[in-house]
Amino acid sequence: MRAIARRFQLALAWIGVGTLLGALLPMLGVAVIAAFAIFDRLPISGEVGTAPPAAAP
């Protein structure tokens, strides 16, 4: 649950920065938000649905 909360807080900051940059430099704002869309799809450790590391035999 903490991993998801961290991702949500990061998302708010990232989108906020993208929005502010977009007000000044629209293409840069679009690039920041597009980069966030890609980053948001990546799995993070501790998030529900990620596979734990395999145990050694």
Side-chain angles (χ1 to χ4, degrees), residues 14-50:
W14 201 324
I15 295 298
V17 168
T19 301
L20 291 175
L21 283 174
L24 301 172
L25 301 166
M27 290 305 290
L28 186 57
V30 169
V32 168
I33 292 174
F36 167 74
I38 294 167
F39 169 78
D40 192 50
R41 302 288 185 242
L42 298 175
I44 57 174
S45 83
E47 189 173 23
V48 174
T50 57

